[in-house]
mmCIF file of all heavy atoms in Angstrom:
data_model
loop_
_atom_site.group_PDB
_atom_site.id
_atom_site.type_symbol
_atom_site.label_atom_id
_atom_site.label_comp_id
_atom_site.label_asym_id
_atom_site.label_seq_id
_atom_site.Cartn_x
_atom_site.Cartn_y
_atom_site.Cartn_z
ATOM 1 N N LYS A 76 -50.555 -50.945 -12.976
ATOM 2 C CA LYS A 76 -51.597 -50.792 -11.956
ATOM 3 C C LYS A 76 -51.348 -49.562 -11.090
ATOM 4 O O LYS A 76 -52.280 -48.807 -10.774
ATOM 5 C CB LYS A 76 -51.654 -52.046 -11.087
ATOM 6 C CG LYS A 76 -52.673 -51.980 -9.961
ATOM 7 C CD LYS A 76 -52.642 -53.260 -9.121
ATOM 8 C CE LYS A 76 -53.648 -53.180 -7.979
ATOM 9 N NZ LYS A 76 -53.614 -54.415 -7.144
ATOM 10 N N LYS A 77 -50.085 -49.326 -10.735
ATOM 11 C CA LYS A 77 -49.743 -48.239 -9.823
ATOM 12 C C LYS A 77 -49.785 -46.869 -10.489
ATOM 13 O O LYS A 77 -50.248 -45.887 -9.890
ATOM 14 C CB LYS A 77 -48.348 -48.475 -9.246
ATOM 15 C CG LYS A 77 -47.884 -47.404 -8.272
ATOM 16 C CD LYS A 77 -46.512 -47.740 -7.700
ATOM 17 C CE LYS A 77 -46.041 -46.653 -6.734
ATOM 18 N NZ LYS A 77 -44.688 -47.000 -6.179
ATOM 19 N N HIS A 78 -49.330 -46.783 -11.738
ATOM 20 C CA HIS A 78 -49.091 -45.474 -12.346
ATOM 21 C C HIS A 78 -50.088 -45.057 -13.433
ATOM 22 O O HIS A 78 -50.353 -43.869 -13.587
ATOM 23 C CB HIS A 78 -47.683 -45.427 -12.946
ATOM 24 C CG HIS A 78 -46.581 -45.590 -11.950
ATOM 25 N ND1 HIS A 78 -46.233 -44.604 -11.053
ATOM 26 C CD2 HIS A 78 -45.756 -46.650 -11.702
ATOM 27 C CE1 HIS A 78 -45.224 -45.016 -10.303
ATOM 28 N NE2 HIS A 78 -44.924 -46.271 -10.664
ATOM 29 N N SER A 79 -50.613 -46.018 -14.210
ATOM 30 C CA SER A 79 -51.298 -45.559 -15.432
ATOM 31 C C SER A 79 -52.463 -46.429 -15.888
ATOM 32 O O SER A 79 -52.849 -46.366 -17.051
ATOM 33 C CB SER A 79 -50.272 -45.458 -16.568
ATOM 34 O OG SER A 79 -49.582 -46.670 -16.760
ATOM 35 N N LEU A 80 -53.029 -47.215 -14.989
ATOM 36 C CA LEU A 80 -54.109 -48.121 -15.375
ATOM 37 C C LEU A 80 -55.290 -47.386 -15.992
ATOM 38 O O LEU A 80 -55.935 -47.869 -16.924
ATOM 39 C CB LEU A 80 -54.575 -48.929 -14.159
ATOM 40 C CG LEU A 80 -55.637 -50.002 -14.398
ATOM 41 C CD1 LEU A 80 -55.129 -51.053 -15.385
ATOM 42 C CD2 LEU A 80 -56.042 -50.659 -13.090
ATOM 43 N N PHE A 81 -55.585 -46.208 -15.473
ATOM 44 C CA PHE A 81 -56.762 -45.483 -15.940
ATOM 45 C C PHE A 81 -56.450 -44.464 -17.027
ATOM 46 O O PHE A 81 -57.316 -43.647 -17.382
ATOM 47 C CB PHE A 81 -57.456 -44.800 -14.762
ATOM 48 C CG PHE A 81 -57.965 -45.772 -13.724
ATOM 49 C CD1 PHE A 81 -57.970 -45.438 -12.383
ATOM 50 C CD2 PHE A 81 -58.430 -47.025 -14.085
ATOM 51 C CE1 PHE A 81 -58.436 -46.326 -11.424
ATOM 52 C CE2 PHE A 81 -58.899 -47.932 -13.144
ATOM 53 C CZ PHE A 81 -58.896 -47.577 -11.806
ATOM 54 N N SER A 82 -55.235 -44.490 -17.547
ATOM 55 C CA SER A 82 -54.881 -43.622 -18.676
ATOM 56 C C SER A 82 -55.361 -44.300 -19.960
ATOM 57 O O SER A 82 -54.581 -44.853 -20.745
ATOM 58 C CB SER A 82 -53.375 -43.375 -18.719
ATOM 59 O OG SER A 82 -52.951 -42.638 -17.598
ATOM 60 N N ALA A 83 -56.650 -44.270 -20.146
ATOM 61 C CA ALA A 83 -57.286 -44.961 -21.269
ATOM 62 C C ALA A 83 -58.647 -44.324 -21.508
ATOM 63 O O ALA A 83 -59.123 -43.516 -20.709
ATOM 64 C CB ALA A 83 -57.449 -46.451 -20.956
ATOM 65 N N GLU A 84 -59.266 -44.696 -22.616
ATOM 66 C CA GLU A 84 -60.630 -44.244 -22.877
ATOM 67 C C GLU A 84 -61.318 -45.204 -23.836
ATOM 68 O O GLU A 84 -60.661 -45.801 -24.705
ATOM 69 C CB GLU A 84 -60.642 -42.828 -23.456
ATOM 70 C CG GLU A 84 -59.916 -42.663 -24.773
ATOM 71 C CD GLU A 84 -59.964 -41.231 -25.265
ATOM 72 O OE1 GLU A 84 -60.622 -40.407 -24.614
ATOM 73 O OE2 GLU A 84 -59.342 -40.948 -26.308
ATOM 74 N N PRO A 85 -62.624 -45.400 -23.665
ATOM 75 C CA PRO A 85 -63.355 -46.259 -24.598
ATOM 76 C C PRO A 85 -63.334 -45.641 -25.994
ATOM 77 O O PRO A 85 -63.399 -44.417 -26.147
ATOM 78 C CB PRO A 85 -64.781 -46.284 -24.035
ATOM 79 C CG PRO A 85 -64.633 -45.869 -22.603
ATOM 80 C CD PRO A 85 -63.495 -44.904 -22.579
ATOM 81 N N TYR A 86 -63.237 -46.470 -27.007
ATOM 82 C CA TYR A 86 -63.355 -45.968 -28.372
ATOM 83 C C TYR A 86 -64.769 -45.417 -28.582
ATOM 84 O O TYR A 86 -65.728 -45.897 -27.955
ATOM 85 C CB TYR A 86 -63.071 -47.080 -29.372
ATOM 86 C CG TYR A 86 -61.610 -47.446 -29.468
ATOM 87 C CD1 TYR A 86 -61.120 -48.593 -28.862
ATOM 88 C CD2 TYR A 86 -60.715 -46.632 -30.154
ATOM 89 C CE1 TYR A 86 -59.774 -48.938 -28.944
ATOM 90 C CE2 TYR A 86 -59.367 -46.961 -30.245
ATOM 91 C CZ TYR A 86 -58.908 -48.111 -29.637
ATOM 92 O OH TYR A 86 -57.567 -48.434 -29.709
ATOM 93 N N PRO A 87 -64.912 -44.405 -29.435
ATOM 94 C CA PRO A 87 -66.238 -43.817 -29.663
ATOM 95 C C PRO A 87 -67.273 -44.867 -30.065
ATOM 96 O O PRO A 87 -67.050 -45.647 -30.988
ATOM 97 C CB PRO A 87 -65.972 -42.830 -30.812
ATOM 98 C CG PRO A 87 -64.532 -42.461 -30.678
ATOM 99 C CD PRO A 87 -63.853 -43.724 -30.202
ATOM 100 N N GLY A 88 -68.383 -44.890 -29.337
ATOM 101 C CA GLY A 88 -69.477 -45.793 -29.652
ATOM 102 C C GLY A 88 -69.434 -47.130 -28.938
ATOM 103 O O GLY A 88 -70.396 -47.909 -29.035
ATOM 104 N N VAL A 89 -68.362 -47.414 -28.190
ATOM 105 C CA VAL A 89 -68.229 -48.723 -27.548
ATOM 106 C C VAL A 89 -69.330 -48.966 -26.521
ATOM 107 O O VAL A 89 -69.974 -50.022 -26.510
ATOM 108 C CB VAL A 89 -66.833 -48.865 -26.884
ATOM 109 C CG1 VAL A 89 -66.863 -49.922 -25.786
ATOM 110 C CG2 VAL A 89 -65.799 -49.239 -27.918
ATOM 111 N N LEU A 90 -69.551 -48.014 -25.633
ATOM 112 C CA LEU A 90 -70.569 -48.227 -24.599
ATOM 113 C C LEU A 90 -71.960 -48.335 -25.210
ATOM 114 O O LEU A 90 -72.790 -49.127 -24.754
ATOM 115 C CB LEU A 90 -70.516 -47.094 -23.572
ATOM 116 C CG LEU A 90 -69.224 -47.005 -22.765
ATOM 117 C CD1 LEU A 90 -69.280 -45.824 -21.794
ATOM 118 C CD2 LEU A 90 -68.957 -48.296 -22.007
ATOM 119 N N GLU A 91 -72.209 -47.548 -26.241
ATOM 120 C CA GLU A 91 -73.501 -47.622 -26.927
ATOM 121 C C GLU A 91 -73.698 -49.001 -27.556
ATOM 122 O O GLU A 91 -74.790 -49.581 -27.499
ATOM 123 C CB GLU A 91 -73.584 -46.540 -28.006
ATOM 124 C CG GLU A 91 -73.675 -45.113 -27.464
ATOM 125 C CD GLU A 91 -72.325 -44.474 -27.203
ATOM 126 O OE1 GLU A 91 -71.308 -45.202 -27.114
ATOM 127 O OE2 GLU A 91 -72.272 -43.242 -27.079
ATOM 128 N N LEU A 92 -72.646 -49.534 -28.166
ATOM 129 C CA LEU A 92 -72.742 -50.852 -28.788
ATOM 130 C C LEU A 92 -73.000 -51.928 -27.747
ATOM 131 O O LEU A 92 -73.874 -52.783 -27.925
ATOM 132 C CB LEU A 92 -71.448 -51.166 -29.549
ATOM 133 C CG LEU A 92 -71.360 -52.580 -30.129
ATOM 134 C CD1 LEU A 92 -72.456 -52.817 -31.162
ATOM 135 C CD2 LEU A 92 -69.978 -52.831 -30.736
ATOM 136 N N LEU A 93 -72.260 -51.893 -26.649
ATOM 137 C CA LEU A 93 -72.431 -52.904 -25.611
ATOM 138 C C LEU A 93 -73.838 -52.853 -25.029
ATOM 139 O O LEU A 93 -74.462 -53.895 -24.781
ATOM 140 C CB LEU A 93 -71.392 -52.718 -24.516
ATOM 141 C CG LEU A 93 -69.940 -52.995 -24.922
ATOM 142 C CD1 LEU A 93 -68.990 -52.616 -23.802
ATOM 143 C CD2 LEU A 93 -69.746 -54.460 -25.309
ATOM 144 N N ARG A 94 -74.341 -51.649 -24.819
ATOM 145 C CA ARG A 94 -75.699 -51.526 -24.281
ATOM 146 C C ARG A 94 -76.728 -52.087 -25.260
ATOM 147 O O ARG A 94 -77.667 -52.793 -24.863
ATOM 148 C CB ARG A 94 -76.023 -50.068 -23.964
ATOM 149 C CG ARG A 94 -77.382 -49.909 -23.285
ATOM 150 C CD ARG A 94 -77.680 -48.482 -22.904
ATOM 151 N NE ARG A 94 -77.957 -47.653 -24.078
ATOM 152 C CZ ARG A 94 -78.506 -46.437 -24.010
ATOM 153 N NH1 ARG A 94 -78.811 -45.914 -22.839
ATOM 154 N NH2 ARG A 94 -78.726 -45.741 -25.098
ATOM 155 N N ALA A 95 -76.539 -51.811 -26.553
ATOM 156 C CA ALA A 95 -77.472 -52.302 -27.564
ATOM 157 C C ALA A 95 -77.432 -53.825 -27.658
ATOM 158 O O ALA A 95 -78.475 -54.481 -27.782
ATOM 159 C CB ALA A 95 -77.138 -51.678 -28.918
ATOM 160 N N LEU A 96 -76.240 -54.390 -27.580
ATOM 161 C CA LEU A 96 -76.113 -55.847 -27.652
ATOM 162 C C LEU A 96 -76.760 -56.514 -26.438
ATOM 163 O O LEU A 96 -77.454 -57.529 -26.570
ATOM 164 C CB LEU A 96 -74.635 -56.238 -27.731
ATOM 165 C CG LEU A 96 -73.908 -55.868 -29.028
ATOM 166 C CD1 LEU A 96 -72.414 -56.144 -28.892
ATOM 167 C CD2 LEU A 96 -74.483 -56.620 -30.222
ATOM 168 N N LYS A 97 -76.531 -55.939 -25.269
ATOM 169 C CA LYS A 97 -77.133 -56.507 -24.060
ATOM 170 C C LYS A 97 -78.654 -56.412 -24.134
ATOM 171 O O LYS A 97 -79.365 -57.360 -23.748
ATOM 172 C CB LYS A 97 -76.621 -55.784 -22.823
ATOM 173 C CG LYS A 97 -77.140 -56.394 -21.527
ATOM 174 C CD LYS A 97 -76.503 -55.759 -20.302
ATOM 175 C CE LYS A 97 -77.004 -56.427 -19.036
ATOM 176 N NZ LYS A 97 -76.385 -55.849 -17.813
ATOM 177 N N ALA A 98 -79.168 -55.300 -24.635
ATOM 178 C CA ALA A 98 -80.619 -55.121 -24.734
ATOM 179 C C ALA A 98 -81.249 -56.136 -25.682
ATOM 180 O O ALA A 98 -82.414 -56.521 -25.501
ATOM 181 C CB ALA A 98 -80.928 -53.706 -25.207
ATOM 182 N N LYS A 99 -80.479 -56.597 -26.669
ATOM 183 C CA LYS A 99 -81.005 -57.582 -27.620
ATOM 184 C C LYS A 99 -80.793 -59.021 -27.143
ATOM 185 O O LYS A 99 -81.145 -59.967 -27.837
ATOM 186 C CB LYS A 99 -80.344 -57.386 -28.989
ATOM 187 C CG LYS A 99 -80.726 -56.066 -29.671
ATOM 188 C CD LYS A 99 -80.410 -56.069 -31.138
ATOM 189 C CE LYS A 99 -81.360 -56.964 -31.917
ATOM 190 N NZ LYS A 99 -81.227 -56.806 -33.378
ATOM 191 N N GLY A 100 -80.214 -59.172 -25.953
ATOM 192 C CA GLY A 100 -80.116 -60.494 -25.363
ATOM 193 C C GLY A 100 -78.859 -61.278 -25.683
ATOM 194 O O GLY A 100 -78.776 -62.475 -25.378
ATOM 195 N N TYR A 101 -77.862 -60.637 -26.278
ATOM 196 C CA TYR A 101 -76.600 -61.329 -26.535
ATOM 197 C C TYR A 101 -75.883 -61.632 -25.218
ATOM 198 O O TYR A 101 -75.935 -60.841 -24.276
ATOM 199 C CB TYR A 101 -75.673 -60.471 -27.389
ATOM 200 C CG TYR A 101 -76.080 -60.326 -28.839
ATOM 201 C CD1 TYR A 101 -76.821 -59.232 -29.271
ATOM 202 C CD2 TYR A 101 -75.697 -61.267 -29.783
ATOM 203 C CE1 TYR A 101 -77.175 -59.077 -30.601
ATOM 204 C CE2 TYR A 101 -76.052 -61.134 -31.116
ATOM 205 C CZ TYR A 101 -76.791 -60.035 -31.514
ATOM 206 O OH TYR A 101 -77.137 -59.891 -32.834
ATOM 207 N N LYS A 102 -75.176 -62.754 -25.160
ATOM 208 C CA LYS A 102 -74.214 -62.999 -24.093
ATOM 209 C C LYS A 102 -72.914 -62.306 -24.483
ATOM 210 O O LYS A 102 -72.441 -62.444 -25.620
ATOM 211 C CB LYS A 102 -73.976 -64.495 -23.898
ATOM 212 C CG LYS A 102 -75.169 -65.258 -23.345
ATOM 213 C CD LYS A 102 -74.814 -66.729 -23.165
ATOM 214 C CE LYS A 102 -75.979 -67.529 -22.614
ATOM 215 N NZ LYS A 102 -75.630 -68.974 -22.472
ATOM 216 N N ILE A 103 -72.326 -61.563 -23.550
ATOM 217 C CA ILE A 103 -71.145 -60.767 -23.845
ATOM 218 C C ILE A 103 -70.025 -61.110 -22.870
ATOM 219 O O ILE A 103 -70.261 -61.210 -21.659
ATOM 220 C CB ILE A 103 -71.471 -59.259 -23.751
ATOM 221 C CG1 ILE A 103 -72.570 -58.882 -24.740
ATOM 222 C CG2 ILE A 103 -70.221 -58.412 -24.000
ATOM 223 C CD1 ILE A 103 -73.117 -57.486 -24.535
ATOM 224 N N ALA A 104 -68.829 -61.273 -23.399
ATOM 225 C CA ALA A 104 -67.664 -61.514 -22.547
ATOM 226 C C ALA A 104 -66.466 -60.745 -23.093
ATOM 227 O O ALA A 104 -66.411 -60.408 -24.272
ATOM 228 C CB ALA A 104 -67.342 -63.004 -22.477
ATOM 229 N N VAL A 105 -65.523 -60.480 -22.213
ATOM 230 C CA VAL A 105 -64.247 -59.881 -22.593
ATOM 231 C C VAL A 105 -63.157 -60.916 -22.393
ATOM 232 O O VAL A 105 -63.056 -61.533 -21.322
ATOM 233 C CB VAL A 105 -63.946 -58.618 -21.763
ATOM 234 C CG1 VAL A 105 -62.526 -58.118 -22.042
ATOM 235 C CG2 VAL A 105 -64.965 -57.523 -22.061
ATOM 236 N N ALA A 106 -62.345 -61.124 -23.424
ATOM 237 C CA ALA A 106 -61.234 -62.077 -23.387
ATOM 238 C C ALA A 106 -59.956 -61.303 -23.698
ATOM 239 O O ALA A 106 -59.752 -60.872 -24.833
ATOM 240 C CB ALA A 106 -61.446 -63.187 -24.414
ATOM 241 N N THR A 107 -59.100 -61.113 -22.702
ATOM 242 C CA THR A 107 -57.953 -60.226 -22.865
ATOM 243 C C THR A 107 -56.667 -60.812 -22.298
ATOM 244 O O THR A 107 -56.695 -61.593 -21.347
ATOM 245 C CB THR A 107 -58.232 -58.858 -22.191
ATOM 246 O OG1 THR A 107 -57.065 -58.033 -22.269
ATOM 247 C CG2 THR A 107 -58.609 -59.037 -20.727
ATOM 248 N N TYR A 108 -55.536 -60.403 -22.893
ATOM 249 C CA TYR A 108 -54.220 -60.756 -22.363
ATOM 250 C C TYR A 108 -53.835 -59.905 -21.158
ATOM 251 O O TYR A 108 -52.882 -60.215 -20.451
ATOM 252 C CB TYR A 108 -53.156 -60.542 -23.439
ATOM 253 C CG TYR A 108 -52.852 -61.754 -24.285
ATOM 254 C CD1 TYR A 108 -52.776 -61.640 -25.667
ATOM 255 C CD2 TYR A 108 -52.606 -62.992 -23.717
ATOM 256 C CE1 TYR A 108 -52.476 -62.734 -26.458
ATOM 257 C CE2 TYR A 108 -52.311 -64.087 -24.508
ATOM 258 C CZ TYR A 108 -52.240 -63.955 -25.887
ATOM 259 O OH TYR A 108 -51.943 -65.035 -26.659
ATOM 260 N N LYS A 109 -54.549 -58.805 -20.941
ATOM 261 C CA LYS A 109 -54.257 -57.991 -19.766
ATOM 262 C C LYS A 109 -54.432 -58.857 -18.517
ATOM 263 O O LYS A 109 -55.295 -59.728 -18.483
ATOM 264 C CB LYS A 109 -55.219 -56.787 -19.734
ATOM 265 C CG LYS A 109 -54.844 -55.719 -18.721
ATOM 266 C CD LYS A 109 -55.853 -54.577 -18.733
ATOM 267 C CE LYS A 109 -55.822 -53.792 -20.018
ATOM 268 N NZ LYS A 109 -54.529 -53.100 -20.236
ATOM 269 N N SER A 110 -53.602 -58.631 -17.493
ATOM 270 C CA SER A 110 -53.730 -59.452 -16.293
ATOM 271 C C SER A 110 -55.172 -59.386 -15.779
ATOM 272 O O SER A 110 -55.834 -58.353 -15.895
ATOM 273 C CB SER A 110 -52.773 -58.982 -15.202
ATOM 274 O OG SER A 110 -53.202 -57.771 -14.625
ATOM 275 N N HIS A 111 -55.644 -60.492 -15.223
ATOM 276 C CA HIS A 111 -57.050 -60.559 -14.837
ATOM 277 C C HIS A 111 -57.425 -59.448 -13.848
ATOM 278 O O HIS A 111 -58.470 -58.798 -13.993
ATOM 279 C CB HIS A 111 -57.371 -61.926 -14.230
ATOM 280 C CG HIS A 111 -58.823 -62.114 -13.939
ATOM 281 N ND1 HIS A 111 -59.762 -62.306 -14.930
ATOM 282 C CD2 HIS A 111 -59.518 -62.099 -12.760
ATOM 283 C CE1 HIS A 111 -60.958 -62.425 -14.381
ATOM 284 N NE2 HIS A 111 -60.841 -62.306 -13.071
ATOM 285 N N GLU A 112 -56.567 -59.215 -12.856
ATOM 286 C CA GLU A 112 -56.865 -58.184 -11.862
ATOM 287 C C GLU A 112 -56.957 -56.809 -12.506
ATOM 288 O O GLU A 112 -57.918 -56.059 -12.262
ATOM 289 C CB GLU A 112 -55.788 -58.165 -10.776
ATOM 290 C CG GLU A 112 -56.031 -57.105 -9.700
ATOM 291 C CD GLU A 112 -54.922 -57.028 -8.673
ATOM 292 O OE1 GLU A 112 -53.925 -57.761 -8.821
ATOM 293 O OE2 GLU A 112 -55.037 -56.224 -7.731
ATOM 294 N N ASN A 113 -55.990 -56.464 -13.343
ATOM 295 C CA ASN A 113 -56.019 -55.164 -14.004
ATOM 296 C C ASN A 113 -57.200 -55.051 -14.958
ATOM 297 O O ASN A 113 -57.825 -53.991 -15.081
ATOM 298 C CB ASN A 113 -54.708 -54.922 -14.762
ATOM 299 C CG ASN A 113 -53.556 -54.570 -13.840
ATOM 300 O OD1 ASN A 113 -53.759 -54.238 -12.671
ATOM 301 N ND2 ASN A 113 -52.339 -54.654 -14.354
#
Side-chain angles (χ1 to χ4, degrees):
K76 178 181 179 181
K77 180 178 179 180
H78 297 287
S79 55
L80 184 60
F81 298 146
S82 294
E84 61 181 356
Y86 286 103
V89 158
L90 296 179
E91 291 87 342
L92 174 62
L93 293 173
R94 185 177 71 166
L96 291 172
K97 184 174 182 179
K99 293 197 72 170
Y101 288 95
K102 292 181 180 179
I103 300 170
V105 172
T107 176
Y108 268 133
K109 192 181 293 296
S110 73
H111 186 73
E112 180 184 3
N113 285 345

